């Protein structure tokens, strides 16, 4: 059960940086806003920085669409209010968004600032109505603390594909891109593409940080990896 947030918190994911800035400008005076252009990073923020009363997402984003994104959000917290904003709307998209993503509102661009604020305010009111007594607050905070402390590794493992895990394991052993390509019988370009996805999903910007974070989260055992500092 959710607990009432002193300042309503809203997470927004949209790969359109300009529209993202517009939403932040519209909502920041009324709510606490976190934004990202990457849906995978948004999932990490939701898991590690929650709880949030409302999550807003575009339909078309890199690596996963809004329906898949909201399905994962709902799996982590069924009470959060989910608003999808898109530049176009097809019937099947709406059906999928409602059935799989469990969205609570569907908005099509362009949409006025007043209308967005009204919809977010309405969603927060719905979220707060699910709050019953102050006794729920410790349980909710404990839930997110437990997720942060014990389930982050499983969360990252869930995001990583089998091939990405294989590349990460070889990366930890100090393999170069060329060596990884030979080992897995793929092209160097494919290796680089997988590495970019790994960096995005783990919210890091270098090979050494990916290895260090994998060790920190327990995805890779220290004895399986060389010293991250010598990685390029």
């Amino acid at each position: 059960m959710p607990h009432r947030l002193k300042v309503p918190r809203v997470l927004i994911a949209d790969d359109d940086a300009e529209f993202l800035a517009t939403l932040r400008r519209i909502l920041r005076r009324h709510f606490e806003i976190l934004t990202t252009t990457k849906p995978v990073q948004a999932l990490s923020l939701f898991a590690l920085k929650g709880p949030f009363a409302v999550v807003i997402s575009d339909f078309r984003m890199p690596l996963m669409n809004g329906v898949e994104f909201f399905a994962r959000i709902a799996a982590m917290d069924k009470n959060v209010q989910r608003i999808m904003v898109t530049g176009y709307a097809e019937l099947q998209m709406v059906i999928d968004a409602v059935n799989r993503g469990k969205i609570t509102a569907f908005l099509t661009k362009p949409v006025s600032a007043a209308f967005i604020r009204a919809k977010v305010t309405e969603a927060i009111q719905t979220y707060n109505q699910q709050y019953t007594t102050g006794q729920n607050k410790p349980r909710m905070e404990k839930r997110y603390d437990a997720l942060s402390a014990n389930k982050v590794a499983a969360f990252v493992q869930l995001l990583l594909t089998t091939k990405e895990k294989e590349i990460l394991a070889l990366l930890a052993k100090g393999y170069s891109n060329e060596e990884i390509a030979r080992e897995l019988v793929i092209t160097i370009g494919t290796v680089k593409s997988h590495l970019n996805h790994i960096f995005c999903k783990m919210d890091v910007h270098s090979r050494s940080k990916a290895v260090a974070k994998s060790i920190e989260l327990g995805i890779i055992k220290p004895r399986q990896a060389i010293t991250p500092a010598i990685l390029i």
Side-chain angles (χ1 to χ4, degrees):
M1 186 71 66
H3 71 274
R4 190 183 303 275
L5 302 172
K6 292 182 179 179
V7 178
R9 305 182 71 230
V10 180
L11 175 63
I12 310 174
D14 196 315
D15 62 334
D16 183 339
E18 184 176 347
F19 184 70
L20 197 64
T22 298
L23 285 182
R24 173 181 282 278
R25 187 168 58 252
I26 290 171
L27 300 173
R28 66 186 176 186
R29 292 184 179 180
H30 306 272
F31 318 107
E32 180 182 339
I33 307 296
L34 268 71
T35 63
T36 177
T37 57
K38 302 173 182 178
V40 172
Q41 186 179 55
L43 292 173
S44 296
L45 288 171
F46 187 85
L48 301 178
K49 303 294 185 181
F52 293 92
V54 179
V55 177
I56 302 173
S57 173
D58 192 11
F59 174 74
R60 283 193 171 179
M61 295 187 294
L63 299 181
M64 70 181 73
N65 63 36
V67 172
E68 183 180 356
F69 170 75
F70 274 132
R72 296 191 183 196
I73 289 290
M76 287 190 281
D77 187 348
K78 65 180 181 180
N79 296 302
V80 66
Q81 301 299 293
R82 299 168 289 278
I83 299 176
M84 182 175 289
V85 183
T86 185
Y88 62 96
E90 297 175 353
L91 178 59
Q92 189 58 49
M93 180 206 304
V94 176
I95 292 173
D96 288 344
V98 172
N99 292 338
R100 290 186 55 212
K102 308 297 182 183
I103 67 165
T104 49
F106 195 101
L107 309 179
T108 54
K109 302 174 184 175
V111 57
S112 70
F115 190 71
I116 290 177
R117 279 196 298 268
K119 280 297 180 183
V120 172
T121 299
E122 179 182 318
I124 289 172
Q125 290 172 348
T126 300
Y127 176 86
N128 285 335
Q129 284 172 3
Q130 298 172 94
Y131 173 87
T132 54
T133 68
Q135 294 177 347
N136 291 319
K137 181 175 181 179
R139 288 202 294 269
M140 174 57 80
E141 290 180 341
K142 183 177 180 180
R143 171 187 179 278
Y144 278 94
D145 288 344
L147 179 62
S148 299
N150 302 318
K151 297 185 178 179
V152 176
F155 173 72
V156 174
Q157 289 265 25
L158 180 64
L159 292 180
L160 295 173
T161 66
T162 299
K163 187 64 66 178
E164 289 165 356
K165 292 175 186 177
E166 292 175 352
I167 290 175
L168 189 57
L170 294 176
L171 190 67
K173 294 178 179 179
Y175 280 43
S176 66
N177 288 354
E178 292 78 6
E179 291 170 330
I180 292 174
R182 284 197 299 270
E183 180 73 18
L184 299 181
V185 195
I186 56 179
T187 67
I188 294 176
T190 300
V191 173
K192 291 180 179 179
S193 178
H194 281 305
L195 285 175
N196 286 335
H197 288 169
I198 290 171
F199 293 168
C200 177
K201 292 178 180 181
M202 300 188 74
D203 193 24
V204 297
H205 303 286
S206 71
R207 300 158 71 94
S208 61
K209 289 186 182 298
V211 171
K213 191 164 188 177
S214 297
I215 294 173
E216 178 187 346
L217 296 177
I219 298 172
I220 295 174
K221 303 300 181 183
R223 65 178 179 273
Q224 296 176 316
I226 65 173
T227 304
I230 71 174
L231 292 172
I232 299 176

